[in-house]
Every structure is written in structure tokens, then in C-alpha cells.
Amino acid sequence: ALLFITVCTADGFLNYVEDHCVFNSTKLDDIEFIRSYYYNKLEVTRFSSSVGKYVGYTEFGVRNAEYWNKDTGDLAAMRAQKETYCLNNVGNDHEAAL
């Protein structure tokens, strides 16, 4: 799986975003793109290409998910990440592993 993390801290609080691709093969149908939003080690919101929308896991995350799911342009961009971000990188990792 591919993993990229962005970390921001302020006044002792930790906020970060994690993108990763889960795959069984290099076929697009076997790839899942996931972007998770964390606050102080707790996942608050997640976008999964399998679900196709944001899902909130805390009260704050649910509010964010509801707001972000109304933005059809952002949802289309996130859904496209499976092909634009994962597909090329998964191919590279798969070849390197072989």
C-alpha cells in the first residue's frame, strides 16, 4: 500500500491527512483510494473511492463530511484520485516488488 502523510501542529494539537492506496493487483477495479483526516490521533473524516463520498466518525467529522459531500466538484476530483494518484504509483510499486 502507498502512504503519504501531511502533518500540521499548533499549540500541542496534531492535525494530519493521510492518503493511501489499497490494492491486490494493478487493475483499476482492484484499487481503493483512501484519504483520512485525523485530529490528535483520532480519525474524524474519511473519503474512500469504494464508498464514493466522505464519511464522518466524530461529531466534527460528520459536519465536515456533510459539507464536503455537497461540493460535487470536490467529490469528482477525489473520485478521480483512484486513477490519477493510485494507478501510476501502484504500477511502480508492483514492478519494484517483483
Side-chain angles (χ1 to χ4, degrees):
L2 298 172
L3 176 66
F4 291 93
I5 299 174
T6 304
V7 177
C8 301
T9 60
D11 298 327
F13 296 101
L14 180 65
N15 183 49
Y16 62 99
V17 179
E18 177 184 278
D19 290 345
H20 63 279
C21 303
V22 179
F23 58 95
N24 293 324
S25 74
T26 57
K27 295 179 184 175
L28 190 59
D29 292 344
D30 293 333
I31 299 172
E32 179 183 19
F33 171 77
I34 299 172
R35 175 171 287 170
S36 298
Y37 295 84
Y38 292 88
Y39 182 74
N40 283 347
K41 300 181 183 179
L42 178 65
E43 185 176 23
V44 294
T45 312
R46 174 187 289 186
F47 175 87
S48 168
S49 63
S50 296
V51 177
K53 66 179 185 173
Y54 292 94
V55 176
Y57 298 106
T58 65
E59 182 180 340
F60 177 70
V62 168
R63 285 196 314 265
N64 282 337
E66 288 172 355
Y67 177 76
W68 293 337
N69 285 331
K70 292 177 185 175
D71 186 348
T72 56
D74 180 59
L75 283 178
M78 292 299 292
R79 290 178 184 136
Q81 291 298 312
K82 176 179 173 178
E83 186 170 355
T84 58
Y85 174 74
C86 291
L87 189 59
N88 293 328
N89 291 314
V90 164
N92 294 337
D93 283 357
H94 187 263
E95 289 298 318
L98 295 177

